[in-house]
């Protein structure tokens, strides 16, 4: 210490109220042990026996160093009670935490309302509240029923609920009770949520909507609390419509995912069941919900008194697809009238949903803009259909001549078998569709005496069709007129039949696929010359239209594949792909 004092490194010393130690503070910038002092300190601390002894020794040491008394290192004495200082610091910290707590959770508390929670406040009051989207009557914004095409039956069913809420007396006079709820079921993209949006716009009653996933949280009890809050708000707005989208998020069967213990999803489902048809009735509240997983919903949710009606919204038919196309085509700048495109596009898109149709129209408009066209025309729609169904064309990934030849014969095999068979429309016979799918594999085996991995997707489709025919549709004499769901590896489900029956089903599926492959092989062998001609034409042009195929293979033996059977006189008639 004497060395530091000698070279004036010590700024001051401090003695606490306990007088048993001394804190040493150095000047900032002083160098001690080769390191520069940058902090305020204290930098050293040492114990002392008594304050008098310390003062005498410090004075003596500085005198020995010939330091004038007025230059002695100053000594400061602290008289603060350290215990009191600690208590005040703790109190200040608690006060700061209390202010933060109030700012986060207490500001929304109404004056005089001190129910529950710490200090009369519930910190989770806002967290457990349901936050539905509420559409009040008269808003006039959004989608109307005229924008929803292709589901007339479903619209009539839904409007019956709306009519009851508007004119309840007409039903009550007859003693009728309106169903409490309706469940919209169907594949993805068929327009379930779109129909609900139209109801929200056109119904003359309040419309509350939430997604099923909005109830699912990691904290226990939050889901059921939100269900209670949602139905409480609905009762206050009655008469009204309550809609839950993707209800399978909370309505999943309790037996299908029960792994023991308590499940938050199960608790939420139980609360939903009670609110829909329990001691607390839902007078004036109509429940709508939608899902594409109807098979996994809990049976208690589907019983009469909760979801009384199940409204199926399937993939659109030919006439429905035409109506959907006309709705979307009206929004585009077309080179020809809407009718010139809608019929043909509907025929080119079997099995497509309403969402797929909307995507096709949008892709056609995007392609026209990319090509700097002024209007959307035939080639834009042809590109859009291929883009949505088959994916984007790969222009940079080139194939070797051998690969191109294999692909050409593979696709020519599909086209040839489909041309020679009568029932190759997706809505008709499964066997012919299986043969058409196997045409590529059969052509490869016949021409190149080997097969490639390119038929993997074809084989998967054939296997799926065969299992559906044997297991689900009851079209096998040995298995009999019974129906079971087809089990998928990614979705383990309960097994409904014995191992013996499962073995029989597998055998019948192999036999059925084998027969389809033999039929396909026979067609390829009988029309080998046409297969070569079609493959070479495809290698030259890369893209073939219906007319190109007809020019190579000749007239279709079973009539024009483009024949329409929906003419007004009931007779079939053939029209070109795009009318002019």
């Amino acid at each position: 210490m004497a060395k530091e004092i000698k070279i004036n490194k010590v700024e001051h010393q401090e003695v606490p109220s306990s007088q048993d130690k001394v804190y040493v503070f150095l000047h900032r910038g002083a160098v001690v042990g080769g390191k520069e002092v940058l902090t305020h300190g204290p930098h050293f601390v040492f114990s002392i026996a008594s304050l008098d002894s310390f003062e005498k020794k410090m004075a003596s040491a500085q005198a020995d160093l010939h330091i004038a008394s007025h230059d002695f290192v100053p000594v400061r004495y602290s008289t603060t009670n350290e215990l009191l200082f600690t208590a005040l610091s703790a109190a200040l910290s608690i006060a700061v935490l209390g202010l933060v707590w109030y700012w986060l959770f207490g500001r929304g508390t109404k004056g005089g309302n001190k129910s529950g929670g710490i200090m009369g406040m519930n910190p989770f009051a806002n967290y457990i509240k349901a936050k539905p989207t509420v559409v009040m009557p008269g808003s006039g914004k959004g989608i109307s029923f005229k924008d929803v095409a292709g589901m007339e039956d479903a619209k009539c069913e839904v409007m019956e609920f709306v009519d009851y809420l508007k004119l309840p007396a007409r039903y009550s006079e007859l003693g009728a009770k309106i169903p409490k709820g309706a469940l919209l079921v169907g594949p993805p993209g068929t327009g379930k949520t779109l129909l609900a949006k139209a109801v929200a716009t056109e119904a003359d009653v309040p419309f509350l909507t939430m997604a099923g996933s909005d109830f699912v949280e990691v904290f226990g009890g939050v889901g059921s609390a939100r269900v209670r809050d949602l139905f409480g708000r609905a009762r206050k707005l009655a008469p009204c419509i309550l809609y839950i989208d993707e209800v399978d998020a909370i309505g999943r069967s309790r037996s299908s995912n029960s792994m023991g213990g308590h499940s938050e999803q199960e608790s939420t489902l139980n609360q939903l069941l009670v609110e829909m048809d329990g001691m607390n009735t839902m007078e004036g509240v109509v429940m709508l919900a939608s899902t594409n997983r109807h098979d996994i919903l809990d049976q208690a949710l589907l019983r009469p008194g909760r979801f009384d009606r199940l409204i199926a919204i399937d993939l659109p038919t030919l006439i429905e697809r035409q109506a959907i196309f006309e709705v979307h085509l009206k929004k585009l700048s077309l080179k020809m009238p809407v009718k010139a495109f809608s019929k043909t596009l509907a025929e080119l898109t079997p099995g497509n949903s309403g969402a797929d149709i909307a995507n096709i129209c949008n892709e056609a408009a995007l392609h026209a803009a990319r090509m700097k066209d002024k209007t959307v025309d035939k080639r834009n729609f042809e590109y859009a259909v291929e883009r949505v169904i088959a994916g984007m064309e790969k222009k940079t990934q080139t194939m070797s001549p051998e690969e191109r030849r294999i692909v050409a014969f593979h696709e020519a095999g599909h086209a040839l078998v489909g041309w020679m068979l009568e029932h190759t429309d997706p809505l008709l016979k499964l066997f012919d569709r299986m043969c058409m799918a196997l045409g590529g594999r059969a052509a490869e085996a016949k021409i190149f005496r080997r097969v490639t991995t390119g038929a993997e997707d074809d084989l998967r489709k054939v296997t799926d069709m065969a299992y559906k025919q044997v297991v689900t549709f009851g079209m096998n004499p040995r298995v009999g007129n019974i129906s079971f769901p087809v089990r998928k590896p990614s979705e383990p489900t309960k097994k409904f039949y014995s191992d013996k029956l499962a073995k029989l089903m597998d055998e019948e599926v192999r036999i059925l696929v084998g027969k389809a492959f033999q039929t396909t092989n026979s067609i390829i062998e009988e029309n080998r010359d046409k297969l070569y001609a079609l493959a070479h034409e495809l290698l030259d042009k890369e893209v073939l239209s219906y007319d190109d195929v007809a020019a190579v293979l000749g007239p279709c033996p079973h009539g024009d594949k483009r024949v329409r059977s929906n003419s007004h006189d009931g007779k079939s008639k053939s029209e070109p792909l795009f009318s002019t």
Side-chain angles (χ1 to χ4, degrees), residues 248-261 263 265-266 269 296 298:
D248 51 274
I250 57 174
R252 187 182 295 267
S253 175
R254 287 166 288 188
S255 59
S256 64
N257 63 346
S258 178
M259 299 296 291
S263 167
Q265 180 266 330
E266 183 175 325
L269 172 60
I296 66 172
D298 195 274

Side-chain angles (χ1 to χ4, degrees), residues 27 47 53 62 78-79 105 125 152 234 249 291 323 392 409 424 479 501 567:
H27 288 287
S47 300
S53 175
Q62 294 181 83
S78 176
T79 59
F105 303 116
E152 297 301 324
T291 179
M392 185 174 60
F409 275 95
T424 50
V479 175
L501 183 57
S567 57

Side-chain angles (χ1 to χ4, degrees), residues 8-198:
N8 297 324
K9 292 183 179 180
V10 180
E11 181 184 9
H12 72 277
Q13 300 176 90
E14 187 171 315
V15 179
S17 58
S18 59
Q19 298 183 357
D20 59 348
K21 62 176 73 71
V22 176
Y23 297 102
V24 179
F25 294 82
L26 303 181
H27 288 287
R28 290 190 181 182
V31 179
V32 178
K35 296 182 179 180
E36 184 179 0
V37 176
L38 300 176
T39 60
H40 180 266
H43 304 95
F44 298 101
V45 60
F46 56 88
S47 300
I48 58 176
S50 68
L51 182 60
D52 292 338
S53 175
F54 163 71
E55 292 175 339
K56 290 178 181 179
K57 288 182 179 180
M58 285 298 299
S60 175
Q62 294 181 83
D64 293 342
L65 295 173
H66 306 291
I67 298 176
S69 59
H70 57 80
D71 291 330
F72 280 4
V73 175
V75 180
R76 300 176 183 176
Y77 300 92
S78 176
T79 59
T80 305
N81 189 319
E82 292 184 352
L83 182 61
L84 177 62
F85 178 77
T86 303
L88 290 175
S89 299
L92 180 61
S93 301
I94 294 173
V96 171
L97 290 175
L99 289 174
V100 173
W101 184 280
Y102 174 76
W103 186 80
L104 290 176
F105 303 116
R107 293 192 303 164
T109 305
K110 301 291 184 182
N113 181 14
K114 297 184 179 181
S115 58
I118 300 174
M119 299 171 61
M121 296 176 294
N122 184 358
F124 298 103
N126 292 326
Y127 188 71
I128 62 177
K129 286 184 177 179
K131 298 177 182 178
T133 301
V134 182
V135 181
M136 298 304 293
S139 60
K141 297 180 180 179
I143 297 171
S144 62
F145 277 119
K146 66 180 181 181
D147 299 320
V148 182
M151 53 179 82
E152 297 301 324
D153 295 337
K155 284 193 287 187
C156 291
E157 291 266 7
V158 171
M159 282 307 297
E160 184 176 317
F161 290 87
V162 179
D163 187 55
Y164 166 78
L165 294 174
K166 290 181 179 179
L167 302 169
R170 185 170 64 183
Y171 292 83
S172 59
E173 288 174 358
L174 298 172
K177 292 183 179 179
I178 195 69
K180 291 185 178 181
L183 182 64
L184 309 177
V185 299
T190 50
K192 300 181 293 295
T193 306
L194 184 71
L195 181 59
K197 289 180 180 178

Side-chain angles (χ1 to χ4, degrees), residues 430 468-478 480-482 512:
L430 280 174
K468 284 183 178 178
Q469 183 169 334
V470 173
V471 179
T472 305
F473 300 146
M475 294 181 177
N476 185 273
R478 292 185 64 194
N481 297 319
I482 54 178
L512 180 60

